[in-house]
Amino acid sequence: KVILNEYAFKSDLNHNLLASQVDDINLCSNKNSIDEITQSITSHSHISSSTNVEKENHNITPKTTYVSQVDKDIPISKKENLDTYVLIIANESYQHLSNVNFATNDGNIFKQYCVNTLGIPDKQVRYCQNATYGNLLGSIDWLVYALNNFPNSNAIVYYCGHGLPDEKTGQAFLVPVDGTGKNIATCYGLSTLYKTLSNTKAQSITYFMDACFTGANKDGSMLIAARGIAIAPKKEMLAGNTVVFSASSNNETAMTLE
């Protein structure tokens, strides 16, 4: 059983060490200093809880919208958790595939829980919105460096976006926003992510995978139109002190609640 708020955290973060590892990486925010990279990300709108009013031909038409309960009244903790590093990948706007509605909002809300509720310093939370393949590689490198250079470190990885299986091997892949879907080489292997982080000095790694890897969209349609059926992805082997929370099993589709 994993209780996230029991993580122990480190008091000091050496920015110079982290900065030396990311100078040549194309980062999500395209900034040159680690302090700028880890500044708070501007909040993105989700669904307003208020009633919007539209005027059309002088007639007023009310349109009621909703907000998830978990998006409101996020608890604030006084404790400091200084040994955990968080990587959040929130891919909503795809260049070659359908979008993933609310992914950026969900990523932002997850970040708020990490900072406000778990007490993780903002500078230790890497939020990457609409990550390209290069952004994804750079962000993983950032996390690997932190886990290998700061003792007793823990990792949290949150991914919201498309997932795909390799039709030949069944291996699951994360799809960056510039991934084509038809060319698996433009995607990032889930087993590669697990292996890369398990080879670090991390004390524990917790994954939250808000995606399915069958090749289906969140609305039930196929991600790639030419593919007629969903494919059950291969189960990935985990190593070390690793826990994965997944939005769906290997034969299910993670759909949007509307």
Side-chain angles (χ1 to χ4, degrees), residues 105-123:
N105 174 82
D106 293 344
N108 269 301
I109 294 299
F110 189 84
K111 179 182 178 182
Q112 291 181 47
Y113 274 99
C114 288
V115 174
N116 297 331
T117 307
L118 300 182
I120 302 170
D122 183 81
K123 61 177 175 274

Side-chain angles (χ1 to χ4, degrees), residues 216-231:
N217 269 313
K218 286 181 177 286
D219 63 1
S221 63
M222 297 310 301
L223 191 59
I224 301 175
R227 179 181 292 154
I229 59 173
I231 300 173

